[in-house]
Amino acid sequence: ARVMVARDPRPSGPMLETGVAAGVVGCGADAVLAGVLPTSGLATALRAGMADVGVMITASHNPAEDNGFKVLAVGGRKLTDEEATAFEKWLQDDAPFHRTPGLMQEEAEGAWHCYQTALDSVTPDPEVFRGRRIAVDLANGAAAPLRDWLVRRFPADFLFLGEGVGR
C-alpha cells in the first residue's frame, strides 16, 4: 500500500507528518510525502493514482494551534461510516510491526503539479470573471501558492482570506 501524507502549514504539521510517515513505514507500507497541500489537492493526487489512500494533517478552519487528521479513501473520497469505524478500531488495536519497513518518498512537487493540472482543466474562460470581486479562502495558508496563479489567470478583484500561518 502507498499512503500519501499531506499537511497544512500549521507549526505542528512537520512533527505530525513525521509521526504519521513513521507509522506507515513501520507497518510495511510506503509513505508518500506531499508536504503542504490543500485537502482537495490530496484528493486530486489520490484520484490521479499517486497513492492508494491519504492522510491530511489539518484542523481545517480552526485556530492555528489546533491540528488533526482526515483520512481519505481510495480515489480521494471520504471514508464511509463503516470504513471510519473499521479504521478507528484498527487504530486502537496494536499496530502490526513488519520486519521489512516500507519506503518513504518525497512527492510534494508531483502532488502540486497534479493539483494544478486538475485546476487548469476545469477553469472556465477567464473573461467570465472580468470585473468581478471574488473571495478566496486560502485554507489557513495551505492554498497560498494558488494566489499568484489566480491573479495571473483571472481578471478579477480578489479578496484573499485564511492566509493564516503561511507556507
Side-chain angles (χ1 to χ4, degrees), residues 114-165:
C114 200
Y115 188 44
Q116 188 72 51
T117 300
L119 289 173
D120 282 336
S121 73
V122 297
T123 55
D125 178 357
E127 290 302 312
V128 170
F129 297 107
R130 183 166 299 283
R132 306 265 183 174
R133 183 153 170 86
I134 301 172
V136 178
D137 183 348
L138 295 175
N140 207 14
L146 294 178
R147 180 187 187 127
D148 293 340
W149 175 80
L150 287 167
V151 170
R152 279 192 318 271
R153 179 130 169 109
F154 299 105
D157 178 23
F158 288 99
L159 170 64
F160 292 103
L161 309 167
E163 295 188 65
V165 293

Side-chain angles (χ1 to χ4, degrees), residues 77-141:
R77 66 177 173 74
K78 181 180 176 183
L79 295 176
T80 65
D81 290 342
E82 295 79 22
E83 289 169 330
T85 299
F87 182 70
E88 289 168 5
K89 182 183 178 324
W90 179 79
L91 285 175
Q92 292 171 4
D93 294 341
D94 287 334
F97 176 78
H98 287 257
R99 290 187 185 269
T100 305
L103 302 173
M104 204 173 299
Q105 168 186 356
E106 295 276 344
E107 273 294 344
E109 189 173 317
W112 265 104
H113 176 74
C114 200
Y115 188 44
Q116 188 72 51
T117 300
L119 289 173
D120 282 336
S121 73
V122 297
T123 55
D125 178 357
E127 290 302 312
V128 170
F129 297 107
R130 183 166 299 283
R132 306 265 183 174
R133 183 153 170 86
I134 301 172
V136 178
D137 183 348
L138 295 175
N140 207 14

Side-chain angles (χ1 to χ4, degrees), residues 35-84:
V36 175
L37 192 68
T39 303
S40 56
L42 174 60
T44 300
L46 293 174
R47 273 193 301 277
M50 289 188 71
D52 302 308
V53 296
V55 176
M56 183 70 210
I57 301 168
T58 183
S60 296
H61 299 285
N62 291 311
E65 60 272 6
D66 293 345
N67 222 330
F69 303 95
K70 293 179 184 177
V71 177
L72 300 181
V74 174
R77 66 177 173 74
K78 181 180 176 183
L79 295 176
T80 65
D81 290 342
E82 295 79 22
E83 289 169 330

